[in-house]
Amino acid sequence: MAGDGRRRRRLPLSLRRNAVAWERQRPTWRDAKPALIAGALKRAQARPSGNWYVMGASRDLGGDRPLGRTVAGQEVVVWRDADGRTVAGPGVCPHLGAPLRDSPVRCGALVCHWHGLSLNGGPFAGWEPLPAHDDGVLVWVRLDAVGGEEPLDAPVVPRRPVPARALTAVYAGTGVCEPEDVVANRLDPWHGAWFHPYSFVDLTVVDTPEGAGEDAFAVDVSFKVAGRLVVPVRAVFTAPEPRTVVMHITEGEGVGSVVETHATPLGPDASGRPRTAVIEAVVAASDRRGFALARAAAPLLRPLVRTASARLWRDDLAYAERRWALRSTGRFPGA
Ligand code: FES
Ligand SMILES: [Fe+2]
């Protein structure tokens, strides 16, 4: 495998020979054992999150609006105070309940647009701040009453490439499902080439938690670039905490790159069904150094970044929603 890896690094782009038609690829359903996926999900759910929830992208902080979202039925706002610190708290104005997510930030203070009550991030008039954390890519908020776990000082942030040598993109979508459905989708690597043939081909799961190694799924897969042109990589999937699945590229172009999928429960919709935000951060690294990094690396990293494309998103959310629909009506075959 090592020689294979070296070859891949020298020639990041490959011309796919002996392309196999979609219906002629090897079925993966025998390997994708429901109990294996369920076991990995259960272990993920048992790991501590410290009650931290991903709110959104760091780059959305610092403007003249707070980052506002309902997390597990609670309205939360996050913004940067006058000293540049990330502050958070309830999104309901303590005066008469205005939605603070629609209020402007002025000189680091969140100024309620109904009657001008001004919050600087500290406790005020019954408004109590919540712990917040900006990891440079994502913004997290800690909700102890919702999580019910032992609180941690900081969230469990996955290992990432150094920002100066990385391209970062954050995508967000919403589905009718629970966080575990999003996590279960990502802990099923076997669906890749079958369900997303427009993005992935030649997928082989080379290690699972049943193997001797870590609690991870390792996958050899090629990202489609155009026609028969592909970028072969090895990707390793782990779940460092209950609502996060991380894909690390460990061989091939963009070694060290990560795609983090975070699931944040939003609360029920009008019909009482659960809604979950999927917030995905792509932190793509390249060995190609220097000012031209973005230009030099972008064409090769684009397939990776495109793993967060609209079509993949739509399909994976449909998978998660389907899983929830079956689960909630006692029809899920993997149960
Ligand atoms: S509702 Fe916010 S100041 Fe009155
Ligand atoms: Fe998928």
mmCIF file with all atom_site columns, all heavy atoms in Angstrom, residues 39 50 122 189 193 195 201 221-222 231 248 255 259 284 294 299 307 309:
data_model
loop_
_atom_site.group_PDB
_atom_site.id
_atom_site.type_symbol
_atom_site.label_atom_id
_atom_site.label_alt_id
_atom_site.label_comp_id
_atom_site.label_asym_id
_atom_site.label_entity_id
_atom_site.label_seq_id
_atom_site.pdbx_PDB_ins_code
_atom_site.Cartn_x
_atom_site.Cartn_y
_atom_site.Cartn_z
_atom_site.occupancy
_atom_site.B_iso_or_equiv
_atom_site.pdbx_formal_charge
_atom_site.auth_seq_id
_atom_site.auth_comp_id
_atom_site.auth_asym_id
_atom_site.auth_atom_id
_atom_site.pdbx_PDB_model_num
ATOM 1   N N   . GLY A 1 39  ? -23.246 -0.170 15.655  1.00 0.00 ? 39  GLY A N   1
ATOM 2   C CA  . GLY A 1 39  ? -22.247 -0.230 16.726  1.00 0.00 ? 39  GLY A CA  1
ATOM 3   C C   . GLY A 1 39  ? -21.365 1.013  16.734  1.00 0.00 ? 39  GLY A C   1
ATOM 4   O O   . GLY A 1 39  ? -21.091 1.593  17.788  1.00 0.00 ? 39  GLY A O   1
ATOM 5   N N   . GLY A 1 50  ? -19.353 17.441 25.756  1.00 0.00 ? 50  GLY A N   1
ATOM 6   C CA  . GLY A 1 50  ? -19.256 18.582 26.666  1.00 0.00 ? 50  GLY A CA  1
ATOM 7   C C   . GLY A 1 50  ? -20.383 19.569 26.466  1.00 0.00 ? 50  GLY A C   1
ATOM 8   O O   . GLY A 1 50  ? -20.296 20.712 26.889  1.00 0.00 ? 50  GLY A O   1
ATOM 9   N N   . GLY A 1 122 ? -22.191 40.513 28.490  1.00 0.00 ? 122 GLY A N   1
ATOM 10  C CA  . GLY A 1 122 ? -22.266 40.165 29.922  1.00 0.00 ? 122 GLY A CA  1
ATOM 11  C C   . GLY A 1 122 ? -23.719 40.052 30.353  1.00 0.00 ? 122 GLY A C   1
ATOM 12  O O   . GLY A 1 122 ? -24.616 40.449 29.615  1.00 0.00 ? 122 GLY A O   1
ATOM 13  N N   . PRO A 1 189 ? -19.822 4.129  4.832   1.00 0.00 ? 189 PRO A N   1
ATOM 14  C CA  . PRO A 1 189 ? -19.029 4.531  3.666   1.00 0.00 ? 189 PRO A CA  1
ATOM 15  C C   . PRO A 1 189 ? -19.359 3.712  2.424   1.00 0.00 ? 189 PRO A C   1
ATOM 16  O O   . PRO A 1 189 ? -18.996 4.091  1.317   1.00 0.00 ? 189 PRO A O   1
ATOM 17  C CB  . PRO A 1 189 ? -17.582 4.277  4.120   1.00 0.00 ? 189 PRO A CB  1
ATOM 18  C CG  . PRO A 1 189 ? -17.684 3.238  5.181   1.00 0.00 ? 189 PRO A CG  1
ATOM 19  C CD  . PRO A 1 189 ? -19.019 3.440  5.855   1.00 0.00 ? 189 PRO A CD  1
ATOM 20  N N   . ALA A 1 193 ? -20.048 4.901  -3.766  1.00 0.00 ? 193 ALA A N   1
ATOM 21  C CA  . ALA A 1 193 ? -20.001 4.762  -5.225  1.00 0.00 ? 193 ALA A CA  1
ATOM 22  C C   . ALA A 1 193 ? -21.344 4.316  -5.807  1.00 0.00 ? 193 ALA A C   1
ATOM 23  O O   . ALA A 1 193 ? -21.621 4.526  -6.984  1.00 0.00 ? 193 ALA A O   1
ATOM 24  C CB  . ALA A 1 193 ? -18.896 3.795  -5.622  1.00 0.00 ? 193 ALA A CB  1
ATOM 25  N N   . PHE A 1 195 ? -24.476 5.246  -4.379  1.00 0.00 ? 195 PHE A N   1
ATOM 26  C CA  . PHE A 1 195 ? -25.470 6.307  -4.233  1.00 0.00 ? 195 PHE A CA  1
ATOM 27  C C   . PHE A 1 195 ? -24.995 7.627  -4.856  1.00 0.00 ? 195 PHE A C   1
ATOM 28  O O   . PHE A 1 195 ? -25.810 8.445  -5.273  1.00 0.00 ? 195 PHE A O   1
ATOM 29  C CB  . PHE A 1 195 ? -25.769 6.490  -2.739  1.00 0.00 ? 195 PHE A CB  1
ATOM 30  C CG  . PHE A 1 195 ? -27.011 7.282  -2.432  1.00 0.00 ? 195 PHE A CG  1
ATOM 31  C CD1 . PHE A 1 195 ? -28.152 7.193  -3.214  1.00 0.00 ? 195 PHE A CD1 1
ATOM 32  C CD2 . PHE A 1 195 ? -27.044 8.112  -1.323  1.00 0.00 ? 195 PHE A CD2 1
ATOM 33  C CE1 . PHE A 1 195 ? -29.292 7.913  -2.911  1.00 0.00 ? 195 PHE A CE1 1
ATOM 34  C CE2 . PHE A 1 195 ? -28.180 8.841  -1.011  1.00 0.00 ? 195 PHE A CE2 1
ATOM 35  C CZ  . PHE A 1 195 ? -29.299 8.751  -1.805  1.00 0.00 ? 195 PHE A CZ  1
ATOM 36  N N   . VAL A 1 201 ? -16.039 6.928  -7.453  1.00 0.00 ? 201 VAL A N   1
ATOM 37  C CA  . VAL A 1 201 ? -15.980 5.645  -8.159  1.00 0.00 ? 201 VAL A CA  1
ATOM 38  C C   . VAL A 1 201 ? -14.892 4.785  -7.516  1.00 0.00 ? 201 VAL A C   1
ATOM 39  O O   . VAL A 1 201 ? -14.050 5.285  -6.769  1.00 0.00 ? 201 VAL A O   1
ATOM 40  C CB  . VAL A 1 201 ? -15.677 5.817  -9.666  1.00 0.00 ? 201 VAL A CB  1
ATOM 41  C CG1 . VAL A 1 201 ? -16.877 6.407  -10.396 1.00 0.00 ? 201 VAL A CG1 1
ATOM 42  C CG2 . VAL A 1 201 ? -14.441 6.671  -9.889  1.00 0.00 ? 201 VAL A CG2 1
ATOM 43  N N   . VAL A 1 221 ? -10.921 5.418  -2.488  1.00 0.00 ? 221 VAL A N   1
ATOM 44  C CA  . VAL A 1 221 ? -11.971 5.906  -3.375  1.00 0.00 ? 221 VAL A CA  1
ATOM 45  C C   . VAL A 1 221 ? -11.372 6.923  -4.345  1.00 0.00 ? 221 VAL A C   1
ATOM 46  O O   . VAL A 1 221 ? -10.351 7.538  -4.046  1.00 0.00 ? 221 VAL A O   1
ATOM 47  C CB  . VAL A 1 221 ? -13.133 6.535  -2.558  1.00 0.00 ? 221 VAL A CB  1
ATOM 48  C CG1 . VAL A 1 221 ? -12.679 7.764  -1.785  1.00 0.00 ? 221 VAL A CG1 1
ATOM 49  C CG2 . VAL A 1 221 ? -14.326 6.863  -3.433  1.00 0.00 ? 221 VAL A CG2 1
ATOM 50  N N   . SER A 1 222 ? -11.999 7.057  -5.480  1.00 0.00 ? 222 SER A N   1
ATOM 51  C CA  . SER A 1 222 ? -11.576 8.083  -6.433  1.00 0.00 ? 222 SER A CA  1
ATOM 52  C C   . SER A 1 222 ? -12.672 9.134  -6.563  1.00 0.00 ? 222 SER A C   1
ATOM 53  O O   . SER A 1 222 ? -13.836 8.799  -6.749  1.00 0.00 ? 222 SER A O   1
ATOM 54  C CB  . SER A 1 222 ? -11.309 7.453  -7.795  1.00 0.00 ? 222 SER A CB  1
ATOM 55  O OG  . SER A 1 222 ? -10.133 6.666  -7.739  1.00 0.00 ? 222 SER A OG  1
ATOM 56  N N   . VAL A 1 231 ? -9.260  11.558 -9.020  1.00 0.00 ? 231 VAL A N   1
ATOM 57  C CA  . VAL A 1 231 ? -8.237  11.756 -7.997  1.00 0.00 ? 231 VAL A CA  1
ATOM 58  C C   . VAL A 1 231 ? -8.411  10.642 -6.968  1.00 0.00 ? 231 VAL A C   1
ATOM 59  O O   . VAL A 1 231 ? -9.367  10.663 -6.191  1.00 0.00 ? 231 VAL A O   1
ATOM 60  C CB  . VAL A 1 231 ? -8.391  13.130 -7.297  1.00 0.00 ? 231 VAL A CB  1
ATOM 61  C CG1 . VAL A 1 231 ? -7.319  13.308 -6.221  1.00 0.00 ? 231 VAL A CG1 1
ATOM 62  C CG2 . VAL A 1 231 ? -8.305  14.261 -8.300  1.00 0.00 ? 231 VAL A CG2 1
ATOM 63  N N   . HIS A 1 248 ? -10.710 12.211 7.160   1.00 0.00 ? 248 HIS A N   1
ATOM 64  C CA  . HIS A 1 248 ? -9.336  12.667 6.938   1.00 0.00 ? 248 HIS A CA  1
ATOM 65  C C   . HIS A 1 248 ? -8.811  12.022 5.664   1.00 0.00 ? 248 HIS A C   1
ATOM 66  O O   . HIS A 1 248 ? -8.933  10.803 5.502   1.00 0.00 ? 248 HIS A O   1
ATOM 67  C CB  . HIS A 1 248 ? -8.416  12.247 8.099   1.00 0.00 ? 248 HIS A CB  1
ATOM 68  C CG  . HIS A 1 248 ? -8.536  13.108 9.312   1.00 0.00 ? 248 HIS A CG  1
ATOM 69  N ND1 . HIS A 1 248 ? -9.306  12.756 10.399  1.00 0.00 ? 248 HIS A ND1 1
ATOM 70  C CD2 . HIS A 1 248 ? -7.992  14.314 9.606   1.00 0.00 ? 248 HIS A CD2 1
ATOM 71  C CE1 . HIS A 1 248 ? -9.226  13.713 11.316  1.00 0.00 ? 248 HIS A CE1 1
ATOM 72  N NE2 . HIS A 1 248 ? -8.437  14.668 10.863  1.00 0.00 ? 248 HIS A NE2 1
ATOM 73  N N   . VAL A 1 255 ? -3.421  15.272 1.125   1.00 0.00 ? 255 VAL A N   1
ATOM 74  C CA  . VAL A 1 255 ? -3.209  14.560 2.394   1.00 0.00 ? 255 VAL A CA  1
ATOM 75  C C   . VAL A 1 255 ? -3.337  15.547 3.552   1.00 0.00 ? 255 VAL A C   1
ATOM 76  O O   . VAL A 1 255 ? -2.793  16.645 3.493   1.00 0.00 ? 255 VAL A O   1
ATOM 77  C CB  . VAL A 1 255 ? -1.815  13.896 2.430   1.00 0.00 ? 255 VAL A CB  1
ATOM 78  C CG1 . VAL A 1 255 ? -1.453  13.458 3.842   1.00 0.00 ? 255 VAL A CG1 1
ATOM 79  C CG2 . VAL A 1 255 ? -1.780  12.698 1.510   1.00 0.00 ? 255 VAL A CG2 1
ATOM 80  N N   . VAL A 1 259 ? -12.838 16.731 5.977   1.00 0.00 ? 259 VAL A N   1
ATOM 81  C CA  . VAL A 1 259 ? -14.225 17.143 5.774   1.00 0.00 ? 259 VAL A CA  1
ATOM 82  C C   . VAL A 1 259 ? -14.941 16.776 7.068   1.00 0.00 ? 259 VAL A C   1
ATOM 83  O O   . VAL A 1 259 ? -14.987 15.613 7.445   1.00 0.00 ? 259 VAL A O   1
ATOM 84  C CB  . VAL A 1 259 ? -14.882 16.426 4.580   1.00 0.00 ? 259 VAL A CB  1
ATOM 85  C CG1 . VAL A 1 259 ? -16.351 16.839 4.458   1.00 0.00 ? 259 VAL A CG1 1
ATOM 86  C CG2 . VAL A 1 259 ? -14.145 16.744 3.287   1.00 0.00 ? 259 VAL A CG2 1
ATOM 87  N N   . ALA A 1 284 ? -9.276  21.947 3.220   1.00 0.00 ? 284 ALA A N   1
ATOM 88  C CA  . ALA A 1 284 ? -8.488  21.227 2.239   1.00 0.00 ? 284 ALA A CA  1
ATOM 89  C C   . ALA A 1 284 ? -7.044  21.713 2.262   1.00 0.00 ? 284 ALA A C   1
ATOM 90  O O   . ALA A 1 284 ? -6.777  22.905 2.181   1.00 0.00 ? 284 ALA A O   1
ATOM 91  C CB  . ALA A 1 284 ? -9.081  21.428 0.841   1.00 0.00 ? 284 ALA A CB  1
ATOM 92  N N   . ALA A 1 294 ? -3.665  28.678 -3.514  1.00 0.00 ? 294 ALA A N   1
ATOM 93  C CA  . ALA A 1 294 ? -5.064  28.524 -3.898  1.00 0.00 ? 294 ALA A CA  1
ATOM 94  C C   . ALA A 1 294 ? -5.190  28.190 -5.377  1.00 0.00 ? 294 ALA A C   1
ATOM 95  O O   . ALA A 1 294 ? -5.892  27.257 -5.754  1.00 0.00 ? 294 ALA A O   1
ATOM 96  C CB  . ALA A 1 294 ? -5.835  29.785 -3.573  1.00 0.00 ? 294 ALA A CB  1
ATOM 97  N N   . PRO A 1 299 ? -7.590  23.326 -8.488  1.00 0.00 ? 299 PRO A N   1
ATOM 98  C CA  . PRO A 1 299 ? -8.166  22.345 -9.420  1.00 0.00 ? 299 PRO A CA  1
ATOM 99  C C   . PRO A 1 299 ? -8.133  20.931 -8.869  1.00 0.00 ? 299 PRO A C   1
ATOM 100 O O   . PRO A 1 299 ? -9.019  20.131 -9.149  1.00 0.00 ? 299 PRO A O   1
ATOM 101 C CB  . PRO A 1 299 ? -7.274  22.466 -10.659 1.00 0.00 ? 299 PRO A CB  1
ATOM 102 C CG  . PRO A 1 299 ? -6.594  23.778 -10.532 1.00 0.00 ? 299 PRO A CG  1
ATOM 103 C CD  . PRO A 1 299 ? -6.460  24.044 -9.071  1.00 0.00 ? 299 PRO A CD  1
ATOM 104 N N   . THR A 1 307 ? -17.173 17.521 -2.478  1.00 0.00 ? 307 THR A N   1
ATOM 105 C CA  . THR A 1 307 ? -17.900 16.504 -1.703  1.00 0.00 ? 307 THR A CA  1
ATOM 106 C C   . THR A 1 307 ? -19.046 17.159 -0.955  1.00 0.00 ? 307 THR A C   1
ATOM 107 O O   . THR A 1 307 ? -19.947 16.504 -0.480  1.00 0.00 ? 307 THR A O   1
ATOM 108 C CB  . THR A 1 307 ? -16.997 15.775 -0.693  1.00 0.00 ? 307 THR A CB  1
ATOM 109 O OG1 . THR A 1 307 ? -16.497 16.728 0.230   1.00 0.00 ? 307 THR A OG1 1
ATOM 110 C CG2 . THR A 1 307 ? -15.875 15.027 -1.365  1.00 0.00 ? 307 THR A CG2 1
ATOM 111 N N   . SER A 1 309 ? -20.976 19.291 -2.407  1.00 0.00 ? 309 SER A N   1
ATOM 112 C CA  . SER A 1 309 ? -21.813 19.885 -3.447  1.00 0.00 ? 309 SER A CA  1
ATOM 113 C C   . SER A 1 309 ? -23.293 19.670 -3.191  1.00 0.00 ? 309 SER A C   1
ATOM 114 O O   . SER A 1 309 ? -23.683 18.814 -2.411  1.00 0.00 ? 309 SER A O   1
ATOM 115 C CB  . SER A 1 309 ? -21.453 19.288 -4.799  1.00 0.00 ? 309 SER A CB  1
ATOM 116 O OG  . SER A 1 309 ? -22.000 17.991 -4.888  1.00 0.00 ? 309 SER A OG  1
#
